[in-house]
Amino acid sequence: MTEMVYGSMPGRVVEPVLPRWWRSIDRWSLTAVFALFGVGLLLGLAASVPLAQRNGLDAFYYVKRQAFFGGVGLVVMLGISMMPPNMVRRLGVLGFLGAFAAMAMLPVIGTDFGKGAVRWISFGFASVQPSEFLKPGFIVLTAWLMAAAQDINGPRGKSMSFLITFIVVLLLALQPDFGQAALIIFGWSVVYFIAGAPMVLIATVLGLVGAGAMFAYNTSEHFARRINGFLSPEIDPRTQIGYATNAIQEGGFFGVGVGEGQVKWSLPDAHTDFIIAVAAEEYGLILVLCIIALYATIVVRSLFRLMRERDPFIRLAGAGLACIFAVQAMVNMGVAVRLLPAKGMTLPFVSYGGSSVIAAGITVGMLLALTRSRPQGQIAEVLFRRGR
Amino acid sequence: MIRKPLRPLARILLAREKGENPDHIERENIRLRAEDTRARAQNRAEGRLLLLGLAFFAAFMVVGARMGLLAASEPMEPRSAASGANISALRADITDRNGRILATNFSTHALYAHPKQMVDPARVARELAELFPDMKADDLERRFTDGRSFLWLRKKLSPEQMQAVHDIGDPGLLFGPRDMRLYPNGKLAAHILGGSSFGAEGVNSAEVIGTAGLERAMDARLRDPAQASTPLALSIDLTVQSAMHEILEGGMAMMNAKGAAGVLLDVHSGEIIAMVSLPDFDPNDRPNPLVKGEPADSPLFNRALQGVYELGSTAKILTAAQAMELGLVNPETMVDANAPMRWGKHKIGEFEGKNYGPLLSVTDVIVKSSNVGTAHLALKIGGERQQAFFKSMGLFDPVPIELTEAPGSAPLIPKRWADIVTITTSYGHGMSVSPMHLAVAYAAIANDGIMLPPTLLKRDKLPQGKRVLSQQSADAAVSMLRQVVTRGTASFGEVEGYEVAGKTGTADKVKKGGGYDKGKNINTFASMFPASDPQYVLVVTLDEASENSGPKPRRTAGWTSVPVAAEVIRRTAPLLGLRPQIETLPATGVSAPKP
């Protein structure tokens, strides 16, 4: 009766959140992420046992831990992937500010775990690497600034983001963490590239990166040793690379068998930086190619979906996030096959590490949120732009 | 770029005429322009995103392809490689002159432990101690449990030991392949070969480096990868070496000597055919050097090379030969041999106070071994010419042979060469050289007066010799030496058919801190055969020998080293391919009947 008198509420017909999410999300990438995480757990069953034994813990202690943190990471990812782009932007910028503050505080509250670089904040039960969380936030912030700069009378986004990049890289270099610094520079470059950087400038930036690498080579012994190890044609079998290469060769096409691998006993970083070597040894080339295909799926699909994107911020942020995710995976695997000099970088979702997996969850969550299919004004374009 | 004006005058005027706000036109144009920019940016971004996507796809393909290549290649080094791919165990074999193996390599295993992977260190320690009596169970257990992650247990294992260790069945016990040096002939040629041990050691291989003797002196050649497959051929003849070793061992026991040395030299090539020093050792299990006491008491001591002794009367022939070479005398020249001879405050006598004088022919000075006669010859020669001659005979320098001990075995030469030194050195006292020196000097006489550098390596072409004596003097010296055997002090040295020529030498050992030890002799017999055309030189030295078959112990070389040397010649001359002379030629230049 009331409805007949007042008419029904002119409520918007809004699709419920979850079905809409499922309809618009990139389901292929989502599946790939879950598959990667599963592979990571599977490899962790083999790779983290020696570490657990060394530390006198239950054999699958680290697997359980990883399952827990991975679960957290996946929940975070799903949560973020449901956000609308402007929520992602807010989260990213706030996240950047928080991570930046934590990183700036590292010299005071950080710890180096005896590895010679202060990168972690230890909470006793777990430790956090702020730079891992800084990356997605940084990309979002950069993309926001760059996109805003495209507006008429917009802020000077390019200069501002460059200044921020400079400060962040400086902080990272002080830790020292040249790998993350390079990743930050790379992320910024990608965003700027997509935003329409002049080709001359791109060449200049590449030159500067080269000069920076030379500087690091000459001043940091740590860095120089790794480069030298890479440049020498002979593989010293006692180095991590030597073990990793040997493991890949041992594995061949079908692997030596589950749990039969040896490299995990000799490599201290078998469960993190060299997990791909464990995969290659125990399951062979097949699993490695699967892992590569999964990463390629996520990255290439995301980039192609972003090509249709009309909103500059979404385009830039999405491209930046996809690229740092891709590069991280590629550097990790490239090191194991000696395409790149040794540089500790985790394999997202696969390597052991709470910080790493949650940060990867945030990154991919944002990426998924940004690559969701949404109306791109095709009809409006057809209607309005034809007239001119 | 031509920009469209934001306020096109025509439209503004038109709008004003219609009474519209012309600002709307401007705003509309601004919106259109922004949209245009966006569209262009999107187009550009589309292209660049495509580029990025393709680049990443290609990069992933490269990583995958590289993985595939690696997976398809064979692993270069064995499993759980720890270290040492660059440690080369390559080492060439050593053979005798006929290609018989003296030293070779043998695959074995070293035993090491990874205590952290050990299941039951206490049991492993107990069982290892049972297998290897020199290991102590509690000591091993302590080392297995003190937190280290690696330790060596044994450097070499026999196959049986390896199986026994394997049967312990602990994953913390591991074997590393080893190439070990093997000397199949044991003690034979021990002092020549020296020995070897492991140098840089890795889990997967270890260097074998020479520690003494030829193995060390020729280390670079033996380890040269380019020549690793070519065995190093020595001048040694294994059969002759073996015969000499056996006879010297027997002779040493029979003559109650504490040591013996023998050198057999091919006079025409300078090659050392056999070199023995007793007591000796097994190079497969080389003993540790002595840390105190006389180095000569160690079996490692090479008496033939390192044992520098006063040569005694064996040196007299050098003096006689030089006197003849200088034209001062001929074999028949009579020289003063009236004993005892006085020189300043020194008195020079003969063996057991005899007197061969007043005059003696040069030949008889040698045959009877007259100290006084030799002293007079030396005085005629003079100290400077004598030194120059000794030096040309190689007596003043270490023997240049391929042993690591050779450069350190320098002769002991008096610093000041007074006349009394000229006299004493002429009959072999006051100057100490090794049996090897003596053999080289005798070889020069036997080789028609041409001095050849000695060697332990097989010689393909003869080196340029150096003439130190005229053929005539050399022949005369050989003839004198032959008579020493036929009618002189070395009558036990006669070997039928081989015309042995030689000179005995009996010297009192020099006591520590000066003076001579009357009861302790070094007996030497330096010989060459056959005298009509000398082919080989043999020097046999016995240390503190005494022949006890008579009522009184006899300690002269004629009774001790000469019979041993004769036996060596009897056994080795046929092995060396010398035919016995069935009809012995009449001894040349014999003026007196045989005693």
Side-chain angles (χ1 to χ4, degrees), chain A residues 37 46 58 141 149 196 250 284 302 311 339:
Chain A
F37 180 65
D58 165 35
L141 177 69
E250 281 293 331
S302 299
D311 185 291
L339 280 172

Side-chain angles (χ1 to χ4, degrees), chain B residues 178-230:
Chain B
R178 280 286 177 280
D179 260 356
M180 118 188 183
R181 200 67 164 162
L182 186 74
Y183 304 97
N185 303 301
K187 289 181 162 190
L188 219 59
H191 289 101
I192 299 169
L193 296 170
S196 54
S197 70
F198 292 121
E201 270 188 284
V203 165
N204 289 324
S205 76
E207 298 180 322
V208 179
I209 53 165
T211 49
L214 190 105
E215 287 269 28
R216 175 137 178 233
M218 300 296 290
D219 200 43
R221 153 67 179 89
L222 291 168
R223 281 164 67 188
D224 179 3
Q227 299 185 70
S229 54
T230 321

Side-chain angles (χ1 to χ4, degrees), chain A residues 357-376:
Chain A
V357 75
I358 293 176
I362 295 174
T363 308
V364 175
M366 287 178 169
L367 181 63
L368 288 173
L370 296 176
T371 58
R372 282 169 70 174
S373 44
R374 52 178 68 81
Q376 296 298 350

Side-chain angles (χ1 to χ4, degrees), chain A residues 193 197 238 250 315 337 385, chain B residues 39 42 48 66 73 79 81-82:
Chain A
F193 175 67
R238 280 164 291 188
E250 281 293 331
R315 200 163 58 214
V337 295
R385 298 189 72 176
Chain B
Q42 192 185 342
R48 291 189 173 187
R66 172 88 184 170
S73 64
R79 267 255 54 75

Side-chain angles (χ1 to χ4, degrees), chain A residues 127-148:
Chain A
S127 61
V128 172
Q129 189 178 350
S131 58
E132 288 274 7
F133 295 94
L134 182 96
K135 281 181 289 183
F138 170 81
I139 295 292
V140 167
L141 177 69
T142 306
W144 182 37
L145 289 169
M146 294 266 191

Side-chain angles (χ1 to χ4, degrees), chain A residues 40-351:
Chain A
L41 278 189
L42 178 70
L43 293 176
L45 286 173
S48 69
V49 172
L51 181 73
Q53 285 193 3
R54 272 201 292 278
N55 293 351
L57 296 163
D58 165 35
F60 295 124
Y61 173 82
Y62 289 103
V63 184
K64 290 175 193 156
R65 242 175 108 89
Q66 180 71 355
F68 169 73
F69 282 115
V72 173
L74 290 178
V75 168
V76 167
M77 179 187 81
L78 292 177
I80 292 178
S81 72
M82 291 174 195
M83 291 179 178
N86 57 351
M87 275 281 277
V88 169
R89 188 176 65 210
R90 262 169 240 158
L91 178 78
V93 173
L94 291 176
F96 172 79
L97 293 177
F100 184 80
M103 213 171 73
M105 297 276 279
L106 271 184
V108 188
I109 56 175
T111 168
D112 64 354
F113 287 118
K115 290 184 187 174
V118 184
R119 297 175 188 173
W120 295 271
I121 296 173
S122 178
F123 294 118
F125 66 96
S127 61
V128 172
Q129 189 178 350
S131 58
E132 288 274 7
F133 295 94
L134 182 96
K135 281 181 289 183
F138 170 81
I139 295 292
V140 167
L141 177 69
T142 306
W144 182 37
L145 289 169
M146 294 266 191
Q150 290 184 354
D151 290 344
I152 290 168
N153 297 328
R156 298 174 52 80
K158 287 168 194 163
S159 323
M160 285 162 74
S161 68
F162 182 76
L163 188 70
I164 291 168
T165 309
F166 182 77
I167 295 168
V168 168
V169 167
L170 199 69
L171 273 179
L172 284 170
L174 284 177
Q175 288 184 2
D177 192 345
F178 296 110
Q180 300 283 12
L183 208 55
I184 288 288
I185 294 174
F186 176 78
W188 182 82
S189 312
V190 164
V191 173
Y192 190 29
F193 175 67
I194 302 297
M199 286 300 173
V200 181
L201 202 67
I202 293 170
T204 316
V205 169
L206 285 179
L208 282 177
V209 169
M214 287 293 282
F215 176 74
Y217 180 81
N218 290 330
T219 52
S220 161
E221 197 204 340
H222 174 76
F223 191 76
R225 253 209 315 270
R226 291 190 170 199
I227 301 289
N228 287 340
F230 174 65
L231 291 180
S232 74
E234 284 289 308
I235 309 176
D236 184 348
R238 280 164 291 188
T239 57
Q240 300 217 21
I241 294 293
Y243 282 116
T245 309
N246 195 31
I248 295 168
Q249 291 174 330
E250 281 293 331
F253 293 112
F254 303 105
V256 296
V258 179
E260 299 290 317
Q262 293 298 316
V263 69
K264 59 197 178 191
W265 295 101
S266 355
L267 273 183
D269 287 339
H271 58 301
T272 57
D273 293 358
F274 285 96
I275 189 113
I276 198 76
V278 175
E281 188 180 31
E282 299 206 349
Y283 301 92
L285 184 64
I286 301 243
L287 183 70
V288 174
L289 290 183
C290 285
I291 294 174
I292 293 176
L294 290 171
Y295 282 113
T297 305
I298 298 174
V299 173
V300 175
R301 273 192 69 88
S302 299
L303 288 176
F304 284 176
R305 282 171 81 93
L306 288 167
M307 278 171 64
R308 295 199 297 271
E309 180 57 55
R310 184 173 58 153
D311 185 291
F313 163 72
I314 295 177
R315 200 163 58 214
L316 297 179
L321 290 169
C323 287
I324 57 165
F325 178 74
V327 158
Q328 201 165 336
M330 206 129 63
V331 167
N332 178 288
M333 292 188 287
V335 167
V337 295
R338 258 169 71 83
L339 280 172
L340 296 168
K343 181 76 221 98
M345 211 167 268
T346 55
L347 198 52
F349 290 112
V350 178
S351 288

Side-chain angles (χ1 to χ4, degrees), chain B residues 343-402:
Chain B
W343 188 265
K345 59 182 174 161
H346 301 281
K347 193 178 93 178
I348 290 133
E350 305 284 15
F351 177 64
E352 289 177 342
K354 285 181 187 153
N355 185 1
Y356 304 118
L359 289 176
L360 213 51
S361 75
V362 174
T363 304
D364 283 347
V365 165
I366 298 300
V367 170
K368 294 198 182 342
S369 194
S370 162
N371 293 346
V372 177
T374 318
H376 283 293
L377 286 175
L379 287 172
K380 285 184 189 179
I381 293 166
E384 266 177 42
R385 287 197 287 189
Q386 185 190 32
Q387 282 183 70
F389 183 66
F390 282 172
K391 190 159 177 57
S392 73
M393 285 295 217
L395 297 180
F396 280 11
D397 302 303
V399 188
I401 61 171
E402 297 83 358

